[in-house]
Amino acid sequence: MATKLTIDPVSRIEGHLKIEATLDNGIVKEARSSGMLYRGLENILIGRDPRDAARIMQRICGVCPTSQGLAAAFALDEAYGVNGNITNNGRIMRNLIQGANYLQSHILHFYQLAALDYVDVTAVADYAGSDPTLKKVRDFIARGHLGPFVPRYEGDYRLTKEENIHAVRNYVEALNIRRLAHEAVAVFGGKMPHNMAIVAGGVATRATLDKMSRFVGRIEQLISFIDSCYLPDVLMVAERYNDHFGIGKGCGSFMSFGVFDLDSDPDLTKRRRYFPQGIVSLDDLRLRRVDPNLITEEAQYSWYSDSAPRHPYDGKTESDHRKKDAYSWCKSPRYNGEVIEVGPLARMLTAYVSGDKQVQEAVDGVLARFNAPVSALDSVLGRHAARAIEAKIVAAKLRDWVMELKPDQPSFTPFNLEVSSRGMGLHEAPRGALSHWIVVKDGKTSNYQAVVPTTWNAGPMDANGQPGPIEQSLIGTVVRDKNNPFELVRIVRAFDPCLSCAVHVADLGGRNMGPFVVGLE
């Protein structure tokens, strides 16, 4: 007999996500992923000075605002015709600001969002050692203050007591390390979140020896934490949960727009980036070129009035919360009609297939340790491992790139404000492929669309009946206890969904958008 299971909201993610699953004998046969707040931030830009996009679009999310601001800046670079003239200092500082935010986001995801699916915090309850951090956690638990560790679905905790205690200590330390990453962003960005430095034409700050020194100091501490804690902790979890290399298989196709510019080619599809652009299918591990003209968003099952597939330049963001059969405020992005997964796993696979020796060595090392094929990366543990590998590589590159800056050399290129054009910003947020699309007429924004990573991953089924990537990854999962479906939230959290990005704005007019159910999670 079929059973319907609803998790609303899924906790320990960014924003409000509802998951519905239809179980048949404990196996997920159908799944729905629903973004539960109205998206509409793009509409705020219409009629405004286009340059406002680099500021306003950062307000999409407080975790990865640098990505939204930089994607907006790339689109503005093209609209204003300055995209081929970004100075080396401007290009490098954009990479440094973005890279530091990557490290913050990945560390946040593993420790504060995902690790509690595998770590039993109560192991610290009778801690008798001298570590001051663990003593504070122990005393905190003794007073009955288990938040933010509970409520949660209780999983099959497999770490030893010593491993659990070790992980809890690193959970707390990760909070301090994230602060250092925020400070690294602020060195060149001015502040975090919502930095003020990224603008059309480059960066609105200058490189100085003092800033370079302050940045390096923080990155060195981040490198130490990633090497000694983050990557080993991911591998520790993988050792105990190696069956999770076979759980959470998604659509099998992956796309990256590439990230960390190495030149300023005006054509973003040809620009050299440290992590390359491309599309990879696990069926053949062949790298395909990205054609932005083949990107569409449709809203057949989304609460928007226009259902037809549209290229983002022609996209519309007009709500219709009474639309028949709709179940999400996320749209359904597709590439040439194909369901695509984006994120760190997509970036690592693209780099792996492109021949990046450093990525190949790191990925092959993890796979060999668990005697797993490349196809096993399409899984819960594959997504976690990809983030940790990327964090290690990015941190080391930031230390190199900051030394390439030329103190007091220009970081901004002036441009003509008289423009009636359009611009595309292809970029990679920590959570995956991100694109901003602006149409400018008579010096004002006439249309703006942001197609964000979680829209790609958490979007609903399309008109052809194809479920989105998260939905596909849930289908076939065995749920042992429908009242404690920890298997499902582990899969969802491995994608690191950010509904703050996918559905940007709540209705401020006081209208009741519908019931909000706070469940077991």
Side-chain angles (χ1 to χ4, degrees), residues 75-264:
L76 294 172
D77 289 345
E78 182 175 5
Y80 285 114
V82 73
N83 51 332
N85 299 313
I86 306 301
T87 68
N88 281 335
N89 269 9
R91 172 185 60 79
I92 294 168
M93 278 192 278
R94 282 178 169 183
N95 288 344
L96 299 177
I97 292 170
Q98 178 64 95
N101 181 236
Y102 261 58
L103 303 184
Q104 176 276 141
S105 182
H106 287 352
I107 291 168
L108 162 69
H109 171 256
F110 181 71
Y111 286 101
Q112 275 69 55
L113 304 183
L116 294 180
D117 286 335
Y118 312 97
V119 176
D120 184 3
V121 180
T122 62
V124 184
D126 57 354
Y127 175 74
S130 60
D131 186 295
T133 297
L134 292 172
K135 289 169 67 175
K136 287 180 180 178
V137 175
R138 178 200 63 194
D139 295 343
F140 193 69
I141 293 175
R143 293 194 298 270
H145 301 309
L146 287 174
F149 307 122
V150 296
R152 63 176 179 175
Y153 293 125
E154 295 299 331
D156 55 336
Y157 303 120
R158 306 179 192 174
L159 302 184
T160 66
K161 182 174 182 179
E162 292 72 22
E163 288 170 339
N164 278 307
I165 291 173
H166 168 81
V168 171
R169 186 193 183 286
N170 287 346
Y171 173 102
V172 177
E173 179 60 19
L175 296 171
N176 294 321
I177 296 299
R178 286 186 59 234
R179 174 180 53 80
L180 289 174
H182 280 320
E183 291 175 357
V185 172
V187 168
F188 295 110
K191 68 185 184 75
M192 178 66 191
H194 314 316
N195 79 84
M196 300 302 293
I198 292 176
V199 294
V203 175
T205 190
R206 283 184 175 269
T208 65
L209 290 175
D210 175 63
K211 290 179 181 177
M212 293 166 64
S213 175
R214 285 189 284 134
F215 186 86
V216 168
R218 287 160 175 80
I219 295 302
E220 291 287 1
Q221 293 179 73
L222 283 158
I223 289 173
S224 176
F225 180 82
I226 291 166
D227 288 346
S228 63
C229 299
Y230 179 20
L231 190 54
D233 285 352
V234 171
L235 293 174
M236 177 180 71
V237 169
E239 291 280 1
R240 300 297 182 185
Y241 293 87
N242 56 22
D243 57 316
H244 283 47
F245 276 114
I247 296 174
K249 177 179 172 56
C251 60
S253 293
F254 303 84
M255 179 173 68
S256 169
F257 290 150
V259 66
F260 303 124
D261 288 353
L262 301 180
D263 63 32
S264 295

Side-chain angles (χ1 to χ4, degrees), residues 483-518:
N483 296 313
N484 185 41
F486 62 86
E487 300 92 346
L488 302 187
V489 291
R490 282 180 179 174
I491 293 171
V492 172
R493 290 195 188 104
F495 283 87
D496 192 12
C498 179
L499 277 297
S500 300
C501 291
V503 284
H504 309 321
V505 173
D507 189 308
L508 299 181
R511 181 166 59 88
N512 185 356
M513 302 293 289
F516 183 73
V517 181
V518 179

Side-chain angles (χ1 to χ4, degrees), residues 340-355:
I340 293 283
E341 178 178 333
V342 302
L345 178 54
R347 287 192 294 272
M348 292 302 96
L349 280 171
T350 302
Y352 184 92
V353 173
S354 71

Side-chain angles (χ1 to χ4, degrees), residues 67 85-86 102 156 174 218 263 288 302 313 328 364 395-396 416 431 474 498:
S67 307
N85 299 313
I86 306 301
Y102 261 58
D156 55 336
R218 287 160 175 80
D263 63 32
R288 290 184 280 156
S302 307
Y313 276 136
S328 180
D364 287 342
N416 185 358
R431 290 167 174 85
L474 294 170
C498 179

